[in-house]
Amino acid sequence: MGKQIVATVTVLSTLYLCCINNNLAVSEYYSKTRRCSPKQQVVTNLHFFFHDTLTYPNPSAVLIAKPINLTSLMNNSSSPSPFGSLFAVDDPLTLGPDPRSKQIGNARGMYVSSGERLPTLTMYLDFGFTSGHFNGSSFTVFSRNPITDKERELAVVGGRGKFRMATGVAQLNTYSVNLTTGDAIVEYHVTLYHY
Ligand SMILES: *[C@@H]1O[C@H](CO)[C@@H](O)[C@H](O)[C@H]1NC(C)=O
Ligand SMILES: *[C@@H]1O[C@H](CO)[C@@H](O)[C@H](O)[C@H]1NC(C)=O
Ligand SMILES: *[C@@H]1O[C@H](CO)[C@@H](O)[C@H](O)[C@H]1NC(C)=O
Ligand SMILES: *[C@@H]1O[C@H](CO)[C@@H](O)[C@H](O)[C@H]1NC(C)=O
Ligand SMILES: *[C@@H]1O[C@H](CO)[C@@H](O)[C@H](O)[C@H]1NC(C)=O
Protein backbone atom coordinates (compact mmCIF):
# COMPACT_ATOMS: atom_id res chain seq x y z
CA MET A 1 0.00 0.00 0.00
CA GLY A 2 2.73 2.43 1.08
CA LYS A 3 4.83 1.43 -1.94
CA GLN A 4 1.83 1.98 -4.20
CA ILE A 5 1.38 5.52 -2.88
CA VAL A 6 5.08 6.25 -3.37
CA ALA A 7 4.90 4.84 -6.91
CA THR A 8 1.81 6.95 -7.68
CA VAL A 9 3.44 10.07 -6.34
CA THR A 10 6.55 9.35 -8.43
CA VAL A 11 4.51 8.79 -11.62
CA LEU A 12 2.51 11.97 -11.00
CA SER A 13 5.60 14.05 -10.38
CA THR A 14 7.23 12.62 -13.54
CA LEU A 15 4.14 13.57 -15.55
CA TYR A 16 4.11 16.98 -13.97
CA LEU A 17 7.80 17.40 -14.79
CA CYS A 18 6.83 17.26 -18.48
CA CYS A 19 5.17 20.62 -17.92
CA ILE A 20 8.15 21.98 -15.98
CA ASN A 21 11.10 20.94 -18.14
CA ASN A 22 11.18 21.49 -21.85
CA ASN A 23 13.89 21.66 -24.45
CA LEU A 24 14.23 25.27 -25.43
CA ALA A 25 15.16 26.52 -28.85
CA VAL A 26 18.74 27.82 -28.72
CA SER A 27 17.85 31.03 -30.51
CA GLU A 28 15.43 32.28 -27.83
CA TYR A 29 15.14 32.36 -24.06
CA TYR A 30 11.46 31.23 -24.04
CA SER A 31 9.53 28.20 -25.26
CA LYS A 32 6.31 28.11 -27.20
CA THR A 33 3.42 28.59 -24.74
CA ARG A 34 1.34 25.43 -24.68
CA ARG A 35 -1.48 23.85 -22.77
CA CYS A 36 -0.50 22.28 -19.44
CA SER A 37 -2.93 19.92 -17.75
CA PRO A 38 -1.84 19.50 -14.14
CA LYS A 39 -2.41 16.05 -12.70
CA GLN A 40 -4.57 15.30 -9.72
CA GLN A 41 -3.39 17.08 -6.57
CA VAL A 42 -2.83 15.16 -3.36
CA VAL A 43 -3.22 16.45 0.16
CA THR A 44 -0.98 15.82 3.19
CA ASN A 45 -1.53 16.95 6.78
CA LEU A 46 1.40 17.63 9.11
CA HIS A 47 1.54 18.16 12.86
CA PHE A 48 4.61 19.27 14.81
CA PHE A 49 5.99 21.78 17.31
CA PHE A 50 8.26 24.73 16.45
CA HIS A 51 10.84 25.85 19.03
CA ASP A 52 12.01 29.46 18.74
CA THR A 53 14.76 30.20 21.29
CA LEU A 54 16.30 33.65 21.56
CA THR A 55 18.11 32.98 24.84
CA TYR A 56 21.89 32.56 24.86
CA PRO A 57 24.05 30.44 24.98
CA ASN A 58 22.16 28.32 22.44
CA PRO A 59 19.74 30.55 20.56
CA SER A 60 17.96 29.14 17.47
CA ALA A 61 17.01 32.67 16.39
CA VAL A 62 19.54 35.51 16.38
CA LEU A 63 19.09 39.23 15.86
CA ILE A 64 20.89 40.21 12.64
CA ALA A 65 19.70 43.81 12.23
CA LYS A 66 17.63 46.36 14.07
CA PRO A 67 16.76 50.02 13.67
CA ILE A 68 18.59 52.61 15.73
CA ASN A 69 16.09 53.86 18.29
CA LEU A 70 17.64 56.69 20.21
CA THR A 71 14.69 56.93 22.60
CA SER A 72 15.02 53.30 23.46
CA LEU A 73 18.82 53.55 23.81
CA MET A 74 18.45 56.41 26.27
CA ASN A 75 15.80 54.56 28.26
CA ASN A 76 17.35 51.09 28.20
CA SER A 77 14.16 49.63 26.70
CA SER A 78 14.33 45.85 26.73
CA SER A 79 11.61 44.59 24.36
CA PRO A 80 12.98 41.31 22.87
CA SER A 81 11.86 42.20 19.31
CA PRO A 82 11.04 45.88 18.71
CA PHE A 83 9.61 47.02 15.36
CA GLY A 84 12.18 46.59 12.57
CA SER A 85 14.23 43.80 14.19
CA LEU A 86 15.32 41.12 11.73
CA PHE A 87 16.16 37.62 12.95
CA ALA A 88 17.86 34.67 11.23
CA VAL A 89 16.45 31.35 12.41
CA ASP A 90 17.24 27.66 12.42
CA ASP A 91 14.43 26.42 14.65
CA PRO A 92 14.02 22.71 15.48
CA LEU A 93 10.70 21.01 14.69
CA THR A 94 9.71 18.18 17.01
CA LEU A 95 6.93 15.60 17.30
CA GLY A 96 5.85 16.78 20.76
CA PRO A 97 5.91 20.05 22.70
CA ASP A 98 8.89 18.86 24.80
CA PRO A 99 12.13 20.18 23.23
CA ARG A 100 13.66 16.73 23.94
CA SER A 101 10.98 14.91 21.90
CA LYS A 102 12.00 13.50 18.51
CA GLN A 103 13.32 16.16 16.11
CA ILE A 104 11.82 15.69 12.64
CA GLY A 105 13.10 18.80 10.87
CA ASN A 106 13.96 22.47 11.07
CA ALA A 107 12.59 25.83 9.96
CA ARG A 108 15.23 28.03 8.34
CA GLY A 109 15.08 31.59 7.13
CA MET A 110 14.18 34.93 8.64
CA TYR A 111 11.43 36.84 10.34
CA VAL A 112 11.07 40.56 10.81
CA SER A 113 9.18 42.37 13.53
CA SER A 114 6.78 44.28 11.28
CA GLY A 115 4.08 45.75 13.49
CA GLU A 116 4.59 49.38 14.38
CA ARG A 117 2.09 49.21 17.26
CA LEU A 118 1.13 45.60 18.02
CA PRO A 119 4.00 43.08 18.13
CA THR A 120 3.64 41.06 14.93
CA LEU A 121 6.02 39.23 12.61
CA THR A 122 6.36 38.65 8.88
CA MET A 123 7.99 35.24 8.30
CA TYR A 124 10.12 34.00 5.41
CA LEU A 125 10.74 30.38 6.38
CA ASP A 126 11.52 27.06 4.73
CA PHE A 127 10.26 24.11 6.81
CA GLY A 128 12.45 21.10 5.96
CA PHE A 129 12.11 17.50 7.17
CA THR A 130 14.95 15.20 8.16
CA SER A 131 13.09 11.98 8.86
CA GLY A 132 10.29 9.78 7.58
CA HIS A 133 8.62 9.74 4.16
CA PHE A 134 9.23 13.48 3.64
CA ASN A 135 12.94 13.44 4.58
CA GLY A 136 14.65 15.95 2.27
CA SER A 137 11.43 17.73 1.29
CA SER A 138 10.34 21.14 2.49
CA PHE A 139 7.51 23.65 2.23
CA THR A 140 7.81 27.41 2.22
CA VAL A 141 5.97 30.01 4.27
CA PHE A 142 5.84 33.68 3.38
CA SER A 143 3.23 35.27 5.59
CA ARG A 144 2.38 37.68 8.33
CA ASN A 145 2.11 36.13 11.78
CA PRO A 146 0.09 38.12 14.34
CA ILE A 147 1.85 36.51 17.31
CA THR A 148 -0.42 38.01 19.96
CA ASP A 149 -3.43 36.05 18.60
CA LYS A 150 -3.64 32.64 20.23
CA GLU A 151 -4.63 30.98 16.93
CA ARG A 152 -3.42 32.22 13.56
CA GLU A 153 -3.00 31.14 9.97
CA LEU A 154 0.06 31.38 7.73
CA ALA A 155 0.17 31.05 3.94
CA VAL A 156 2.21 28.20 2.43
CA VAL A 157 3.43 29.47 -0.93
CA GLY A 158 5.59 26.65 -2.29
CA GLY A 159 7.59 23.52 -1.70
CA ARG A 160 10.48 21.27 -2.75
CA GLY A 161 10.95 17.55 -3.24
CA LYS A 162 7.78 15.61 -2.46
CA PHE A 163 6.13 18.95 -1.66
CA ARG A 164 6.95 20.41 -5.07
CA MET A 165 4.60 23.28 -5.95
CA ALA A 166 2.80 22.97 -2.63
CA THR A 167 0.18 25.46 -1.57
CA GLY A 168 -1.72 25.36 1.67
CA VAL A 169 -2.13 26.75 5.14
CA ALA A 170 -0.37 26.41 8.46
CA GLN A 171 -2.56 26.85 11.53
CA LEU A 172 -0.58 27.99 14.56
CA ASN A 173 -1.38 27.76 18.20
CA THR A 174 1.04 29.16 20.80
CA TYR A 175 1.87 26.34 23.20
CA SER A 176 4.05 28.46 25.48
CA VAL A 177 5.85 31.78 25.41
CA ASN A 178 8.17 33.63 27.77
CA LEU A 179 7.32 37.31 27.34
CA THR A 180 10.64 38.41 28.90
CA THR A 181 12.95 36.44 26.61
CA GLY A 182 10.64 35.92 23.61
CA ASP A 183 11.31 32.15 23.66
CA ALA A 184 8.26 30.33 22.28
CA ILE A 185 6.94 26.88 21.46
CA VAL A 186 4.29 26.88 18.76
CA GLU A 187 2.05 24.02 17.61
CA TYR A 188 1.64 23.71 13.83
CA HIS A 189 -1.20 21.99 11.98
CA VAL A 190 -0.37 22.18 8.27
CA THR A 191 -2.48 21.22 5.25
CA LEU A 192 -0.50 20.94 2.02
CA TYR A 193 -1.88 20.50 -1.49
CA HIS A 194 0.85 19.18 -3.76
CA TYR A 195 1.47 16.75 -6.64
C1 LIG B 1 11.72 53.38 20.44
O1 LIG B 1 11.81 53.15 21.82
C2 LIG B 1 10.72 53.70 22.58
C3 LIG B 1 11.02 53.50 24.06
O2 LIG B 1 11.30 52.17 24.33
C4 LIG B 1 9.43 53.02 22.13
O3 LIG B 1 8.34 53.57 22.85
C5 LIG B 1 9.22 53.23 20.64
O4 LIG B 1 8.10 52.48 20.21
C6 LIG B 1 10.44 52.76 19.87
N1 LIG B 1 10.29 53.11 18.47
C7 LIG B 1 10.42 52.22 17.49
C8 LIG B 1 10.25 52.74 16.11
O5 LIG B 1 10.69 51.04 17.72
C1 LIG C 1 12.39 57.95 28.50
O1 LIG C 1 12.82 58.14 29.84
C2 LIG C 1 12.60 59.44 30.29
C3 LIG C 1 13.26 59.56 31.68
O2 LIG C 1 12.93 58.43 32.45
C4 LIG C 1 11.10 59.73 30.31
O3 LIG C 1 10.88 61.07 30.73
C5 LIG C 1 10.53 59.56 28.91
O4 LIG C 1 9.11 59.69 28.93
C6 LIG C 1 10.90 58.19 28.36
N1 LIG C 1 10.47 58.11 26.97
C7 LIG C 1 9.85 57.07 26.47
C8 LIG C 1 9.46 57.15 25.04
O5 LIG C 1 9.64 56.04 27.13
C1 LIG D 1 21.34 52.04 30.99
O1 LIG D 1 21.93 50.82 31.45
C2 LIG D 1 23.28 50.96 31.81
C3 LIG D 1 23.82 49.57 32.14
O2 LIG D 1 22.85 48.78 32.81
C4 LIG D 1 23.41 51.92 32.99
O3 LIG D 1 24.78 52.07 33.34
C5 LIG D 1 22.84 53.27 32.58
O4 LIG D 1 22.84 54.14 33.68
C6 LIG D 1 21.42 53.13 32.07
N1 LIG D 1 20.94 54.38 31.52
C7 LIG D 1 19.79 54.92 31.85
C8 LIG D 1 19.46 56.23 31.19
O5 LIG D 1 19.01 54.39 32.63
C1 LIG E 1 17.41 11.60 5.40
O1 LIG E 1 18.03 11.84 4.13
C2 LIG E 1 19.44 12.05 4.22
C3 LIG E 1 19.93 12.48 2.85
O2 LIG E 1 19.40 11.64 1.86
C4 LIG E 1 20.10 10.79 4.75
O3 LIG E 1 21.49 11.02 4.88
C5 LIG E 1 19.52 10.48 6.12
O4 LIG E 1 20.04 9.27 6.60
C6 LIG E 1 18.01 10.38 6.05
N1 LIG E 1 17.49 10.27 7.42
C7 LIG E 1 16.52 9.44 7.75
C8 LIG E 1 16.14 9.43 9.18
O5 LIG E 1 15.95 8.72 6.93
C1 LIG F 1 11.33 33.63 31.36
O1 LIG F 1 12.72 33.62 31.22
C2 LIG F 1 13.39 34.24 32.30
C3 LIG F 1 14.89 34.33 31.94
O2 LIG F 1 15.36 33.06 31.57
C4 LIG F 1 13.14 33.43 33.56
O3 LIG F 1 13.80 34.03 34.65
C5 LIG F 1 11.64 33.36 33.80
O4 LIG F 1 11.38 32.51 34.90
C6 LIG F 1 10.93 32.84 32.58
N1 LIG F 1 9.49 32.96 32.76
C7 LIG F 1 8.67 31.93 32.59
C8 LIG F 1 7.21 32.22 32.77
O5 LIG F 1 9.07 30.82 32.26
Side-chain angles (χ1 to χ4, degrees):
M1 184 64 185
K3 269 185 188 153
Q4 232 165 10
I5 293 172
V6 174
T8 313
V9 169
T10 312
V11 169
L12 290 182
S13 51
T14 312
L15 289 175
Y16 204 81
L17 260 182
C18 300
C19 289
I20 297 174
N21 294 333
N22 194 57
N23 294 331
L24 298 172
V26 280
S27 58
E28 278 299 353
Y29 68 90
Y30 53 86
S31 80
K32 189 166 176 294
T33 301
R34 62 213 186 280
R35 188 177 294 279
C36 173
S37 357
K39 301 302 163 192
Q40 180 78 48
Q41 275 189 324
V42 293
V43 59
T44 303
N45 297 105
L46 307 174
H47 177 238
F48 54 80
F49 290 82
F50 167 96
H51 301 261
D52 193 47
T53 308
L54 302 169
T55 312
Y56 278 80
N58 291 310
S60 63
V62 293
L63 181 66
I64 53 175
K66 67 170 185 177
I68 294 174
N69 182 338
L70 294 176
T71 316
S72 144
L73 274 181
M74 298 291 288
N75 284 9
N76 284 350
S77 156
S78 60
S79 162
S81 55
F83 176 50
S85 309
L86 181 64
F87 291 83
V89 315
D90 182 357
D91 283 347
L93 309 175
T94 61
L95 272 186
D98 187 330
R100 289 159 303 181
S101 68
K102 186 185 177 194
Q103 187 177 342
I104 46 95
N106 50 62
R108 291 182 173 169
M110 294 187 295
Y111 58 72
V112 62
S113 175
S114 50
E116 201 182 351
R117 286 158 203 273
L118 263 183
T120 185
L121 304 177
T122 301
M123 307 183 84
Y124 315 83
L125 292 178
D126 185 285
F127 289 76
F129 299 92
T130 51
S131 81
H133 182 57
F134 295 104
N135 183 14
S137 298
S138 66
F139 70 86
T140 317
V141 162
F142 168 30
S143 191
R144 65 179 58 203
N145 179 359
I147 50 175
T148 51
D149 296 354
K150 174 134 177 69
E151 292 181 11
R152 46 209 190 268
E153 183 176 297
L154 269 50
V156 174
V157 298
R160 301 163 53 251
K162 292 194 170 76
F163 293 135
R164 172 181 292 162
M165 306 195 62
T167 53
V169 292
Q171 285 162 300
L172 277 59
N173 183 14
T174 302
Y175 178 81
S176 69
V177 63
N178 183 321
L179 295 174
T180 313
T181 60
D183 292 357
I185 299 174
V186 183
E187 183 176 19
Y188 274 65
H189 279 104
V190 187
T191 303
L192 296 178
Y193 298 91
H194 56 108
Y195 291 96

